[in-house]
């Protein structure tokens, strides 16, 4: 399967990191994932043009952000899904025009992914969405502290050089 994936790809941002992780996951499953920056496109018609001019057709599309990415897929002509997060639910929903577009995206998407159960519930509260398939997938990795973890042992076995700590008298420990 060949998938067009739209996301905001400003370097060193959470969006970019998340998009790269999702792309890597899609590709590790054996699919082709073409990741493009939403800032390259100003309208859905530009995506339609991209899809018609590309040598190999896209089978599906995916976007991060209901407004920034999802709006570009409304006329794509392929099934699409969307991943939404805090910007959509906490900020863009306040703007009437953006909210209307986001609702249209949710109506036409095959599925949606929220990063938390709380975001999923807020979407159902703030957006008129009849979409039945909203999945919750955590954005990050959850870790828990271990009572027997030693930073010194970890750094020593990892061959990471430590700066020597200075004691109260200014001497090295």
């Amino acid at each position: 399967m060949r998938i067009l994936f739209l996301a905001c790809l400003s370097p060193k941002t959470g969006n970019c990191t998340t998009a790269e992780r999702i792309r890597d996951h899609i590709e590790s499953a054996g699919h082709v994932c073409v990741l493009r920056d939403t800032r390259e496109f100003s309208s859905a018609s530009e995506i339609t043009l991209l899809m018609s001019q590309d040598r190999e057709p896209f089978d599906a599309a995916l976007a991060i952000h209901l407004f920034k990415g999802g709006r570009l897929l409304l006329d794509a002509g392929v099934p699409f899904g969307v991943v939404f997060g805090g910007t959509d639910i906490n900020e863009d929903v306040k703007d009437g025009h953006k909210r209307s577009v986001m609702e249209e995206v949710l109506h036409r998407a095959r599925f949606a992914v929220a990063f938390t159960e709380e975001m999923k519930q807020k979407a159902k509260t703030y957006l008129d969405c009849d979409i039945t398939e909203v999945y919750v997938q955590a954005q990050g990795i959850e870790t828990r502290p271990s009572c027997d973890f030693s930073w010194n042992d970890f750094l020593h076995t990892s061959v990471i050089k430590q700066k020597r700590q200075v004691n109260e008298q200014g001497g090295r420990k």
Side-chain angles (χ1 to χ4, degrees):
M1 179 178 282
R2 190 158 188 264
I3 301 167
L4 174 63
F5 185 16
L6 300 176
C8 299
L9 299 177
S10 299
K12 300 180 183 177
T13 62
N15 283 330
C16 187
T17 300
T18 297
E20 289 170 349
R21 285 180 182 163
I22 293 171
R23 180 203 55 213
D24 291 348
H25 180 73
I26 291 169
E27 289 179 343
S28 71
H31 304 290
V32 174
C33 185
V34 178
L35 180 58
R36 299 288 297 265
D37 194 329
T38 55
R39 295 172 300 173
E40 295 177 37
F41 308 99
S42 60
S43 68
S45 62
E46 291 179 19
I47 295 296
T48 304
L49 184 62
L50 169 72
M51 294 208 163
S52 67
Q53 291 180 340
D54 212 64
R55 282 172 267 169
E56 292 183 56
F58 289 98
D59 302 299
L62 179 65
I64 294 180
H65 287 292
L66 294 170
F67 183 76
K68 291 178 187 174
R71 69 184 173 87
L72 298 171
L73 296 177
L74 287 173
D75 297 323
V78 296
F80 69 88
V82 288
V83 177
F84 64 90
T87 301
D88 297 301
I89 301 305
N90 298 322
E91 297 302 322
D92 290 346
V93 76
K94 296 172 187 174
D95 179 296
H97 169 70
K98 288 182 179 180
R99 186 174 54 251
S100 174
V101 171
M102 293 189 306
E103 289 171 344
E104 180 68 18
V105 168
L106 285 173
H107 284 296
R108 294 174 66 185
R110 290 280 179 97
F111 67 90
V113 176
F115 291 133
T116 66
E117 185 64 38
E118 179 185 14
M119 283 185 201
K120 176 181 175 178
Q121 293 309 315
K122 282 184 177 182
K124 288 184 175 187
T125 300
Y126 299 133
L127 298 169
D128 174 25
C129 59
D130 59 1
I131 189 166
T132 57
E133 300 295 334
V134 177
Y135 300 94
V136 175
Q137 176 63 52
Q139 185 175 14
I141 299 169
E142 185 177 331
T143 61
R144 297 187 193 333
S146 171
C147 59
D148 60 345
F149 179 78
S150 166
W151 271 108
N152 287 332
D153 291 345
F154 169 75
L155 294 173
H156 179 71
T157 59
S158 300
V159 194
I160 297 174
K161 297 192 187 284
Q162 301 176 58
K163 289 183 180 178
R164 289 190 167 164
Q165 294 178 338
V166 179
N167 65 22
E168 290 96 42
Q169 288 79 31
R172 298 265 180 207
K173 286 185 179 180

